[in-house]
Amino acid sequence: MSFLKEIQRRRTFGIISHPDAGKTTLTEKLLLFGGAIQEAGAVKNNKIKKGATSDFMEIERQRGISVATSVLAFIYKDKKINILDTPGHKDFAEDTFRTLTAVDSVIVVIDVAKGVEEQTEKLVEVCRMRNIPMIVFINKLDREGKDAFDLLDEVEQKLGLTVTPMSFPIGMGYDFKGIYNIWEKKINLFSGDKKQVISEGVEFTDVNNPDLDKMIGENSANQLREELELALEVYPEFDLQAYKNGKQQPVFFGSALNNFGVKELLDCFIEIAPSPQPKKAEERLVNADEKQLTGFVFKIHANMDPKHRDRLAFVKIVSGVFKRNQPYLHVRHNKKLKFSSPNAFFAEKKEIVEESFPGDIVGLHDTGNFKIGDTLTEGELLNFKGIPSFSPEHFRYVNNADPMKSKQLHKGLDQLMDEGVAQLFTLEINGRKVIGTVGALQYEVIQYRLEHEYGAKCTYENLNVHKACWVEPSDPKNEEFADFKRVKQRYLAKDKQGQLVFLADSAFTIQMTQSKYPSVKLHFTSEF
């Protein structure tokens, strides 16, 4: 198969939503169609021994939430589909923002009863800033929820999207009869049983066909006819170009848990979703069909397999072909590296691949060479932008609870921080370590992983810090800067890259500092 054909059959997308709207369940069902897993394990149900395929960390299985982005791939109708399942929980939002730099399109999952929730708003805003094409999937139709038109309005208003329904529900919750697929003009009847397997649809090219009354009853049929007429009048026709430019968003209805409406979503997705797109580097725009390899690290995950201390760096391939045992340039270190066992992800199996194409995600075994945002090329000096570190919201001192294990604690913290789980600051004055995170749940995850993966115990102590500000380096002769460092020395720390950071205890302090030392420049992200 030619290089261009390989690019055209790739689809790489992320699934985003508020926690509990059903992202991981939808991911599972998509895999089911790709034949990647034979039977899907629902997230909440303990009777099914099989946990959800995409949650492989112990802590995820205990709480029924996803805390790390996982990568899954499958083949469907000759298209190679790469899914990035992101954490919905707000404490792990940074992981999700980074993942969004590696996808070409997005599916937004919304819970029919709860409608648009805050986490969805934040993530969709990021997608809109980057004009990423989005498809909306309204989930859990087998439960009582909001009216379809109200939901579509809410999506337009709260998320600022322009929607066009591609399928329409017949009834809801207790009266849920099925879905009319506007995109393919056919009806799917909902039977309510057999959650794990795939069901077929009945074709209805014309809604006015009297057979429809026999199938779903006269009332439901008439209601459907009225609603469809209204929907087709109110909402614009689907426009492929507008969708690809991020200006229009198709909406599907369904129930991921009952595997209902998922196939329609998938069939439409592989037709309309974009194949790998060009990506902007600081130096130039890189097109997917270029022959030279380029790619960037968007995530690092340590200890995926508790039996081996391994770290995997996840690389999104932007252009060219990634070949095994080929030397590639690590731009930041300016040295060539070879990879003898690049991994591809296929449901829950990792397998070694000989070559990967643009749009694919490759896992590279890493001994500490990579950081998030690093670029690999065949020799050209390129840097892909757009993966900043934000200032954390929570700060705590880390104390070693087991003096015999200080080496393990040090190593564990070092590796977990490289993963980007949190940020580590070392105070200048006494060398104490401070962990800054976006959400409080991360402290538990860190403590848990330190103990189970490194055998180290730690305790935390609260620290009153409002924000971390990165301090722009200044001329050593600058007296004002020296004075700032002397007066504020108790609040100064270094981050992992050795940049100077000022830990301010309130917004007021930041204001005062800026007016007292105008030449000292403070930044809220690490990229300046």
Side-chain angles (χ1 to χ4, degrees):
M1 206 182 277
S2 71
F3 174 53
L4 285 174
K5 267 224 170 91
E6 286 287 1
I7 298 180
Q8 279 151 10
R9 62 187 280 255
R10 298 285 190 282
R11 301 280 182 274
T12 306
F13 71 99
I15 299 188
I16 59 174
S17 79
H18 199 78
D20 261 0
K23 276 190 305 295
T24 301
T25 310
L26 178 63
T27 308
E28 294 273 288
K29 292 306 196 277
L30 291 171
L31 286 176
L32 191 60
F33 284 104
I37 46 179
Q38 258 43 65
E39 137 187 7
V43 186
K44 286 273 162 49
N45 185 348
N46 299 328
K47 290 196 200 88
I48 304 176
K49 283 288 178 284
K50 209 168 168 319
T53 320
S54 46
D55 291 357
F56 50 73
M57 256 154 69
E58 193 55 36
I59 193 159
E60 303 184 297
R61 296 209 173 100
Q62 286 174 4
R63 292 176 176 246
I65 57 169
S66 310
V67 298
T69 302
S70 59
V71 179
L72 304 145
F74 62 93
I75 307 257
Y76 179 73
K77 294 194 177 168
D78 200 42
K79 295 277 191 281
K80 163 104 194 287
I81 298 177
N82 299 308
I83 307 184
L84 302 174
D85 180 15
T86 62
H89 203 287
K90 69 170 186 299
D91 294 2
F92 304 98
E94 244 185 288
D95 200 25
T96 308
F97 288 143
R98 288 194 203 114
T99 305
L100 289 176
T101 60
V103 300
D104 298 309
S105 66
V106 163
I107 292 182
V108 185
V109 184
I110 291 175
D111 181 332
V112 66
K114 298 187 183 140
V116 175
E117 296 170 274
E118 103 190 274
Q119 211 37 41
T120 323
E121 291 185 43
K122 283 191 189 144
L123 293 168
V124 166
E125 200 179 333
V126 176
C127 296
R128 275 183 40 218
M129 272 166 24
R130 304 205 161 124
N131 287 329
I132 302 175
M134 285 178 265
I135 294 181
V136 179
F137 182 68
I138 295 182
N139 191 16
K140 305 195 183 179
L141 278 199
D142 52 320
R143 305 194 187 170
E144 294 296 328
K146 303 187 179 183
D147 173 71
F149 286 107
D150 293 348
L151 271 168
L152 291 170
D153 280 352
E154 192 174 326
V155 169
E156 294 218 306
Q157 280 157 9
K158 282 198 180 164
L159 300 178
L161 303 182
T162 308
V163 301
T164 170
M166 299 287 244
S167 70
F168 213 82
I170 308 170
M172 177 180 297
Y174 190 67
D175 303 322
F176 183 51
K177 296 279 197 310
I179 290 171
Y180 181 75
N181 184 342
I182 300 174
W183 169 248
E184 290 174 6
K185 293 202 166 48
K186 63 180 184 191
I187 269 187
N188 276 37
L189 294 178
F190 178 64
S191 56
D193 50 87
K194 279 310 226 193
K195 297 185 178 178
Q196 318 285 335
V197 289
I198 298 167
S199 62
E200 286 303 310
V202 186
E203 299 225 6
F204 260 94
T205 36
D206 180 17
V207 211
N208 296 320
N209 189 334
D211 292 352
L212 184 61
D213 300 350
K214 290 181 198 149
M215 290 181 77
I216 58 176
E218 211 169 313
N219 293 349
S220 301
N222 287 330
Q223 188 189 353
L224 174 66
R225 287 173 189 133
E226 280 166 27
E227 288 187 334
L228 272 179
E229 198 179 338
L230 184 59
L232 296 174
E233 266 174 33
V234 176
Y235 293 104
E237 288 229 330
F238 174 66
D239 173 350
L240 186 63
Q241 230 18 70
Y243 157 72
K244 287 198 166 166
N245 299 337
K247 299 284 177 275
Q248 187 194 56
Q249 288 76 26
V251 180
F252 283 89
F253 290 84
S255 158
L257 183 63
N258 295 308
N259 206 349
F260 197 75
V262 177
K263 184 174 186 299
E264 290 68 30
L265 171 71
L266 187 57
D267 284 342
C268 174
F269 173 82
I270 61 171
E271 289 238 336
I272 67 172
S275 52
Q277 296 295 299
K279 185 151 176 71
K280 225 174 125 129
E282 280 177 40
E283 295 73 11
R284 63 187 188 84
L285 188 72
V286 180
N287 283 312
D289 54 10
E290 292 178 21
K291 292 280 183 279
Q292 299 269 323
L293 174 103
T294 61
F296 65 97
V297 178
F298 67 94
K299 171 184 167 60
I300 291 172
H301 194 40
N303 313 318
M304 284 180 70
D305 182 347
K307 296 196 258 316
H308 307 288
R309 288 270 163 269
D310 65 341
R311 281 176 36 156
L312 271 185
F314 289 75
V315 174
K316 158 86 190 272
I317 298 171
V318 180
S319 69
V321 184
F322 185 94
K323 295 195 171 92
R324 194 179 143 191
N325 285 325
Q326 186 92 327
Y328 292 117
L329 177 71
H330 181 316
V331 175
R332 185 171 52 90
H333 284 170
N334 198 10
K335 65 177 189 205
K336 294 239 166 174
L337 301 173
K338 268 186 190 172
F339 303 97
S340 58
S341 55
N343 280 308
F345 303 92
F346 206 81
E348 55 186 2
K349 295 182 281 295
K350 293 193 311 222
E351 41 194 49
I352 291 175
V353 279
E354 290 299 325
E355 44 180 28
S356 300
F357 294 91
D360 285 343
I361 311 288
V362 185
L364 303 177
H365 287 279
D366 174 32
T367 48
N369 292 317
F370 287 116
K371 286 196 185 121
I372 287 173
D374 279 349
T375 308
L376 280 179
T377 67
E378 290 192 26
E380 187 181 357
L381 295 176
L382 281 179
N383 288 286
F384 287 108
K385 245 205 132 120
I387 307 188
S389 285
F390 300 94
S391 165
E393 307 282 316
H394 302 257
F395 297 84
R396 291 183 194 174
Y397 285 119
V398 176
N399 299 323
N400 185 1
D402 182 353
M404 302 294 288
K405 294 275 169 78
S406 62
K407 198 171 150 199
Q408 284 88 331
L409 179 74
H410 198 78
K411 182 181 167 190
L413 281 175
D414 211 47
Q415 294 200 348
L416 291 178
M417 299 306 142
D418 274 350
E419 250 185 68
V421 177
Q423 295 175 56
L424 189 66
F425 302 104
T426 310
L427 288 181
E428 292 273 80
I429 193 165
N430 54 11
R432 281 191 77 177
K433 300 225 180 303
V434 172
I435 289 185
T437 67
V438 181
L441 190 59
Q442 272 155 312
Y443 290 108
E444 275 181 61
V445 173
I446 292 169
Q447 199 166 22
Y448 183 91
R449 290 185 62 183
L450 280 173
E451 190 170 334
H452 289 83
E453 293 170 16
Y454 299 93
K457 287 191 170 64
C458 72
T459 56
Y460 297 117
E461 234 177 281
N462 277 334
L463 173 66
N464 180 25
V465 172
H466 165 66
K467 272 227 177 357
C469 311
W470 278 268
V471 183
E472 201 171 302
S474 176
D475 179 30
K477 295 195 187 69
N478 180 347
E479 284 179 20
E480 193 170 77
F481 194 71
D483 190 41
F484 162 75
K485 281 172 77 169
R486 196 189 74 245
V487 174
K488 297 290 185 194
Q489 73 188 58
R490 287 177 43 218
Y491 307 106
L492 290 179
K494 287 260 166 60
D495 71 2
K496 238 191 127 177
Q497 279 70 49
Q499 296 182 124
L500 189 66
V501 178
F502 170 48
L503 302 175
D505 55 8
S506 68
F508 178 66
T509 310
I510 299 175
Q511 240 175 319
M512 289 299 292
T513 309
Q514 279 171 329
S515 59
K516 193 173 168 195
Y517 307 106
S519 72
V520 175
K521 294 195 171 54
L522 302 177
H523 300 272
F524 294 115
T525 60
S526 61
E527 273 191 12
F528 49 80

